[in-house]
Amino acid sequence: MSASPSGLHTGIDTSDAYPVHYRFSPATKGNQHLVVVFANIAAPDDYGWSNGVFDKLRANVLWIRDDFEGSNSYYLCKGMDFTLERSVVTLIANVMNSLGLTPDQCTLWGGSKGGSASLYFGLKYGFRNIVALVPQFLIGTYLQQKHPAIGRFMMGQVTEANIQVLDRAIPDLVASGANRGANIYLLSSPQDEQYPVQVEPFLPLFQGYENFNFIFSDSPYITGHTQVTRRNVPMLMGLVNFLIDGIPPRLGQVVNGRERPDTDRSAIDAFLKATSQVRDTFPAPLVHAPFPGQQVQPSVRFTGFAPGAVRVSAWERGKFLGSPDVAADGSWSWEPPKPLSPGDHLVRIFAVDASGFASPTTDVAFRVENAYAAPRF
């Protein structure tokens, strides 16, 4: 096992028949929870949700790589030999037991192929929380149609009988009521081309589950299978943090999305314009120094004129620099409390009147010389 400076560990568990590669990040703040992440097919390096989005979770996080002898496997089998599945669950058990946790303190998480894995392992092995994002229920049929190379690895001989075994792996678990007390969160979308075949027919099987939640994401911003999870990342991050804190939400069957990108915004635009703090009739401040393109010392002094203003406000690259007062005759001057760094600068200045209205801005571009530069002759 190796560890990076960030605390992310990588290793290989060889305690069962198949070596299983993993990544592990320990919990912070003493949290007693384990999130197990299964990968989708297009996951980088065969690790799902490994783009940094889970890096700040307070839970222990175990990413499991789905790469066995160079092929994906849905974490299930090679040539219909399900000892591969046993090796995966052995890794989870070893990590869980080493942390002193139970299946009630675990969340299984995954999208697409990983969603199928989270359902299968969560139902079969009694884990408390299962998050399955756009999973495939008919694994054998899907592989035959979309990923024949993975199908050959998993089935050896791609026969109707083997396809049926994989197709029934998840539905049979649900139909039998396996792990009926689990908190299950299933995400899909009408814009997912897989939904009518791979998800919709199996929803009735979850009747009788104590906390089955189906999130139907009906959004014009979803254009296909791979977009469903991306559209829902903010909601999903809220969900995983609830589960980590031991608060499993009860959502039932809900619909989200339904954005209206073509909504008429003329009324709100008119309101914002009418109540804007910027008054076009309030003149932008004049800046006398530094003048555009001037080369100045780091301790530059700004001067100018802002009739009708009580103060001016100076900003650079979105950072507030200062707000000097304006004299009764409209003149103002200001020197930044710290010398400016050498190089090109663009300072944006606007005026503010006694009522709090702001003027349009004035931009001044100049260059600060290096204080230690050799003199010019």
Side-chain angles (χ1 to χ4, degrees), residues 93-105:
N94 287 341
V95 172
M96 184 176 62
N97 294 336
S98 298
L99 292 168
L101 302 179
T102 70
D104 281 349
Q105 296 167 290

Side-chain angles (χ1 to χ4, degrees), residues 8-85:
L8 181 66
H9 300 259
T10 60
I12 307 173
D13 184 359
T14 58
S15 59
D16 214 307
Y18 285 85
V20 185
H21 293 246
Y22 69 86
R23 291 177 179 170
F24 178 79
S25 178
T28 60
K29 309 291 185 182
N31 191 280
Q32 298 298 300
H33 197 87
L34 174 65
V35 178
V36 179
V37 184
F38 298 101
N40 55 297
I41 281 180
D45 203 24
D46 298 300
Y47 287 108
W49 289 74
S50 58
N51 60 352
V53 70
F54 272 8
D55 287 358
K56 293 185 179 180
L57 292 183
R58 290 185 297 181
N60 301 282
V61 184
L62 173 66
W63 292 267
I64 306 179
R65 189 181 190 189
D66 187 20
D67 184 350
F68 296 90
E69 300 180 13
S71 176
N72 292 153
S73 68
Y74 274 73
Y75 301 90
L76 292 179
C77 60
K78 173 192 174 185
M80 302 307 288
D81 177 8
F82 285 81
T83 54
L84 191 154
E85 168 196 331

Side-chain angles (χ1 to χ4, degrees), residues 33 57 103 128 172 234 240 253 266 319 322 375:
H33 197 87
L57 292 183
R128 184 63 172 170
D172 283 354
V240 71
Q253 298 195 29
S266 58
K319 182 179 179 181

Side-chain angles (χ1 to χ4, degrees), residues 129-148:
N129 302 321
I130 302 168
V131 181
L133 315 173
V134 291
Q136 292 91 38
F137 279 76
L138 300 175
I139 296 174
T141 296
Y142 179 71
L143 292 174
Q144 181 191 34
Q145 296 172 351
K146 299 294 185 180
H147 298 283

Side-chain angles (χ1 to χ4, degrees), residues 181-212:
N183 303 305
I184 303 173
Y185 303 87
L186 179 60
L187 172 69
S188 193
S189 169
Q191 287 83 35
D192 181 356
E193 67 278 9
Q194 298 182 22
Y195 171 73
V197 173
Q198 289 290 348
V199 176
E200 185 178 25
F202 305 98
L203 296 177
L205 296 178
F206 289 95
Q207 292 182 6
Y209 273 77
E210 295 177 13
N211 189 22
F212 173 69

Side-chain angles (χ1 to χ4, degrees), residues 244-315:
I244 288 169
D245 278 353
I247 310 172
R250 292 183 176 271
L251 307 175
Q253 298 195 29
V254 296
V255 179
N256 73 343
R258 293 181 173 172
E259 301 93 341
R260 296 171 58 190
D262 298 326
T263 299
D264 181 7
R265 291 186 52 87
S266 58
I268 185 63
D269 290 342
F271 170 79
L272 295 174
K273 183 177 181 180
T275 59
S276 172
Q277 286 286 95
V278 177
R279 292 194 312 181
D280 293 337
T281 57
F282 183 18
L286 299 176
V287 180
H288 297 150
F291 57 80
Q294 183 178 0
Q295 295 194 20
V296 300
Q297 294 298 311
S299 56
V300 60
R301 186 170 188 81
F302 292 78
T303 63
F305 187 64
V310 295
R311 58 186 173 87
V312 295
S313 187
W315 298 73

